[in-house]
Amino acid sequence: MIRYALIFLGGGLGSVLRYAIAGWTQRAADTSFPLGTLVVNVVGSLVIGFLAATLTGPILIRDDYRIGLMVGVLGGFTTFSSFSLETLMLANDGQFGMALLNVLFSVALCLTAAWLGYRFGEYSFGV
């Protein structure tokens, strides 16, 4: 039961962080390209890669807390559903180049960030 409570609380925290960071980034960039969502997804991918490497090896924490962080906080923080809708809206508006750019950047950068986070976690703790 504690696991579900941690996921619930973490999801709320992650969602608030996503809203704040993505909104601030989008306003600062002042572009129609969904940069705020891209930044949140890349950061979330970097962090989840790092946590995946460290919280199952060199730093052992209870599964409930690890899942609360990774599924709850980062699940609420990352925004793949928002990415999908924003890409669709770009395409619906006839901005096919921007839609394609969003797909390419999001996939390439998020996979790279997850890999870098994982490697950084391994490096940091000598795994």
Side-chain angles (χ1 to χ4, degrees), residues 21-42 82-83 85-91 93 95-110:
I21 293 170
W24 178 84
T25 302
Q26 197 63 44
R27 285 187 301 279
D30 193 29
T31 178
S32 65
F33 184 79
L35 187 62
T37 299
L38 177 62
V39 165
V40 165
N41 283 337
V42 171
S82 296
F83 152 79
L85 180 61
E86 289 170 345
T87 304
L88 178 65
M89 293 298 103
L90 287 170
D93 290 343
Q95 297 183 56
F96 299 109
M98 291 287 249
L100 181 60
L101 222 83
N102 194 35
V103 169
L104 294 175
F105 280 161
S106 293
V107 172
L109 291 174
C110 289

Side-chain angles (χ1 to χ4, degrees), residues 19-97:
Y19 179 78
I21 293 170
W24 178 84
T25 302
Q26 197 63 44
R27 285 187 301 279
D30 193 29
T31 178
S32 65
F33 184 79
L35 187 62
T37 299
L38 177 62
V39 165
V40 165
N41 283 337
V42 171
V43 169
S45 295
L46 180 69
V47 172
I48 205 165
F50 179 79
L51 293 178
T54 59
L55 296 183
T56 56
I59 299 176
L60 295 175
I61 64 171
R62 283 183 46 188
D63 278 346
D64 292 336
Y65 298 128
R66 182 180 54 80
I67 290 169
L69 282 170
M70 294 176 71
V71 174
V73 175
L74 291 173
F77 183 68
T78 57
T79 56
F80 206 78
S81 59
S82 296
F83 152 79
S84 299
L85 180 61
E86 289 170 345
T87 304
L88 178 65
M89 293 298 103
L90 287 170
N92 282 347
D93 290 343
Q95 297 183 56
F96 299 109

